[in-house]
Amino acid sequence: MRTKIRRHARKARYILYKETLIDFKEHLWTFLGSFCGIGLLSLLHSDHFTAHDNLFLIASFGASAVLIFGIINSPLAQPRNFIGGHVLCAIVGVTVHKLIPGEIWLSSALSVSLSIVLMQMTKTLHPPGGATALLANIGSEKIIGLGYWYVLSPVLSGALILLLVAIFFNNRTSHRSYPANKQWYLFWKRRQRKVLK
């Protein structure tokens, strides 16, 4: 028993040590990618860039930036999860808000809960997607007034912009590679392979 405990303690110290190592190159590329991605969305969102009332920036993109720039090998940070999770949650959030417009507590709880289950079912789990669904219910009048346009802009358009920035910055050096599956967008070929097996 004592040997087992010592082995687990040694393993825990090693993992803790490895997790706290400082890799300045990694931090530099994380900083540059997230700065440019969120900065670009903020610029498109600002009144200085366009005279139109465009909306490109939502709070859940900040949490997504942590995943797609900081933990690029995580399954939760891959394009299918990133795009699919945000879009699915936006659709759920808007739909629930339209069905239950007067009860924010109920529509918020139902939106987030349904979003989590649907992301699990579709294998598009992306934690910031829960915030995207919630925002469709508790956001500003401008966001709620968008209705289903909320799904296209800011959610889909903003996610695509962040994805392009992530692909650019996360592949600038030999020690970073994003996404894990370079042919993630060929979803029709994956189906054909499953049928052939």
Side-chain angles (χ1 to χ4, degrees):
M1 180 73 156
R2 190 177 279 176
T3 311
K4 228 180 196 180
I5 292 172
R6 284 185 188 153
R7 191 176 324 128
H8 286 300
R10 241 183 320 203
K11 191 176 183 180
R13 277 195 306 260
Y14 177 75
I15 291 171
L16 184 63
Y17 171 75
K18 291 293 276 183
E19 290 295 318
T20 57
L21 285 178
I22 297 172
D23 182 356
F24 290 109
K25 286 183 197 172
E26 194 72 23
H27 298 317
L28 175 67
W29 287 106
T30 298
F31 173 81
L32 289 173
S34 60
F35 181 84
C36 289
I38 297 297
L40 180 59
L41 288 179
S42 299
L43 181 64
L44 292 172
H45 182 77
S46 72
D47 294 334
H48 304 293
F49 186 78
T50 179
H52 302 291
D53 197 20
N54 286 337
L55 184 69
F56 283 97
L57 189 64
I58 54 175
S60 56
F61 286 158
S64 290
V66 172
L67 290 170
I68 65 171
F69 295 108
I71 314 171
I72 62 175
N73 294 321
S74 168
L76 303 175
Q78 299 309 307
R80 174 190 168 103
N81 295 60
F82 174 55
I83 302 290
H86 274 299
V87 170
L88 180 68
C89 291
I91 292 169
V92 169
V94 172
T95 302
V96 170
H97 182 73
K98 287 189 174 294
L99 294 174
I100 312 169
E103 299 293 329
I104 291 179
W105 72 270
L106 181 59
S107 64
S108 298
L110 197 56
S111 292
V112 173
S113 302
L114 283 173
S115 293
I116 295 169
V117 171
L118 288 174
M119 284 189 293
Q120 287 175 327
M121 290 170 61
T122 59
K123 294 182 170 72
T124 58
L125 194 62
H126 185 69
T132 300
L134 184 61
L135 192 59
N137 289 278
I138 65 164
S140 66
E141 287 182 31
K142 182 178 176 182
I143 288 178
I144 292 173
L146 289 171
Y148 284 104
W149 286 108
Y150 171 72
V151 177
L152 296 176
S153 182
V155 175
L156 179 60
S157 59
L160 288 173
I161 290 169
L162 271 179
L163 178 64
L164 292 174
V165 172
I167 289 171
F168 178 78
F169 278 97
N170 290 333
N171 292 301
R172 293 299 97 201
T173 64
S174 60
H175 65 282
R176 288 175 75 96
S177 179
Y178 179 82
N181 176 8
K182 295 295 184 190
Q183 297 183 344
W184 62 272
Y185 55 89
L186 300 176
F187 58 89
W188 60 89
K189 287 196 176 183
R190 283 195 293 259
R191 279 197 196 135
Q192 289 175 350
R193 265 188 257 132
K194 287 180 184 176
V195 171
L196 294 175
K197 289 179 182 179

